[in-house]
Amino acid sequence: MIRVLIVEDDPMVADLNKRYVEQIKGFELVGSAVNVEEAYQCLEETKVDLVLLDVYMPGKSGFELLKELREKDEQLDVILITAASEKEQIQQSLRLGVVDYLIKPFEFERLKNALKKYKDNHFVLRDKRKVSQNELDQIFSKQEGQESHRIQVPKGLTKTTLDHIIEVIRFKEETAFSTDEIAQETNISRVSVRKYLKFLKEIDFLEETLIYGVGRPVYQYQIKDTRDLNFEFYH
């Protein structure tokens, strides 16, 4: 598990970030701090792999904490989540080795992509003594979401419904699901959901398996590995 510390003084934002982290498989929230002093206390008491760090806080800023962590050679990574969008600060943050930089307000999907990308890289570097050039290219490639593949929504399907179904599916992570499950969670008819799932299979977003058991066979679906593939749908 990747152990995460959230450093954020706004309780509403901190709670949102906490819920985001808890929804993504492979991450464990080990602490939350509202200022730099509390952050240091958490770091002394528990091992942390990744810090989700705000910049603007009472007392010392998150940026000061980042610089101090680098001066002390602390073995952890930082994703900045902040309203700060000044070019100079972003450049300096990159020089200090942040693994990602999210500007508030942001969509859940953006944070999810950042965490999934971090997880992929984390385990590549943790589990091997040597890394191939191809694996390094994946680590240093653009973040998921920066490049998108534009796909036209076929006649008979609507982009709004498709987006809704995809939003539900993305929470499934690596879990297989059926047409009936998605129909129930989206409140859309089973016949309609089946059309959308078939389309998502055709564009290689989902993989489909026919499960034989008691009664009629059931199609099960699962999200494919989409680390380097983002879809932009249009009519």
Side-chain angles (χ1 to χ4, degrees):
M1 295 291 280
I2 297 171
R3 300 162 68 86
V4 180
L5 170 65
I6 293 174
V7 184
E8 168 66 64
D9 68 315
D10 185 324
M12 184 176 296
V13 175
D15 184 61
L16 280 173
N17 290 345
K18 175 183 176 181
R19 282 189 279 164
Y20 289 165
V21 170
E22 291 174 340
Q23 288 175 16
I24 302 176
K25 193 173 181 180
F27 291 88
E28 176 188 6
L29 182 67
V30 297
S32 184
V34 299
N35 54 46
V36 171
E37 289 70 26
E38 284 191 13
Y40 273 124
Q41 185 176 348
C42 291
L43 291 170
E44 289 174 4
E45 294 174 351
T46 186
K47 174 176 169 50
V48 173
D49 300 305
L50 176 66
V51 180
L52 303 185
L53 179 62
D54 189 17
V55 171
Y56 298 130
M57 293 181 292
K60 280 188 175 181
S61 71
F63 198 67
E64 289 176 280
L65 173 60
L66 173 61
K67 288 192 284 187
E68 290 171 3
L69 290 173
R70 293 298 174 246
E71 289 168 1
K72 295 178 179 180
D73 196 27
E74 293 285 349
Q75 299 301 299
L76 53 80
D77 296 308
V78 175
I79 293 178
L80 282 184
I81 300 179
T82 174
S85 58
E86 294 80 10
K87 179 184 72 174
E88 293 77 13
Q89 183 162 288
I90 294 172
Q91 288 177 327
Q92 192 166 3
S93 299
L94 293 173
R95 293 183 186 117
L96 289 169
V98 299
V99 296
D100 210 333
Y101 195 113
L102 277 66
I103 299 174
K104 298 177 182 176
F106 57 88
E107 297 291 330
F108 166 68
E109 197 63 29
R110 179 62 181 87
L111 177 56
K112 181 180 178 181
N113 289 340
L115 292 174
K116 290 185 72 174
K117 180 75 171 179
Y118 176 80
K119 181 173 71 171
D120 293 337
N121 295 344
H122 175 84
F123 288 113
V124 165
L125 295 175
R126 190 197 69 173
D127 296 339
K128 296 187 178 182
R129 294 188 62 188
K130 290 188 177 182
V131 179
S132 69
Q133 182 64 58
N134 183 57
E135 288 167 326
L136 278 176
D137 290 343
Q138 294 240 358
I139 290 172
F140 287 103
S141 66
K142 291 183 178 182
Q143 290 285 347
E144 182 180 0
Q146 288 182 318
E147 287 189 357
S148 63
H149 294 248
R150 287 178 55 81
I151 297 175
Q152 185 169 10
V153 179
K155 188 175 181 180
L157 306 185
T158 69
K159 183 178 181 303
T160 302
T161 302
L162 180 62
D163 288 341
H164 181 37
I165 289 174
I166 289 175
E167 183 180 357
V168 171
I169 288 173
R170 286 190 185 278
F171 281 100
K172 302 295 182 182
E173 288 291 332
E174 300 171 9
T175 306
F177 54 88
S178 67
T179 302
D180 288 342
E181 290 176 58
I182 302 302
Q184 184 175 359
E185 293 183 40
T186 58
N187 200 28
I188 299 170
S189 75
R190 184 183 179 282
V191 173
S192 294
V193 168
R194 176 80 180 103
K195 293 178 183 177
Y196 286 91
L197 296 184
K198 183 180 178 182
F199 166 63
L200 292 173
K201 173 187 174 291
E202 289 172 354
I203 64 171
D204 220 26
F205 183 84
L206 297 176
E207 57 185 18
E208 180 186 74
T209 306
L210 187 58
I211 305 297
Y212 294 92
V214 180
R216 62 179 174 83
V218 175
Y219 283 104
Q220 290 276 312
Y221 297 90
Q222 195 164 350
I223 298 175
K224 284 200 168 186
D225 182 2
T226 57
R227 284 176 294 178
D228 301 310
L229 190 59
N230 189 39
F231 297 95
E232 179 186 345
F233 298 104
Y234 68 96
H235 275 300

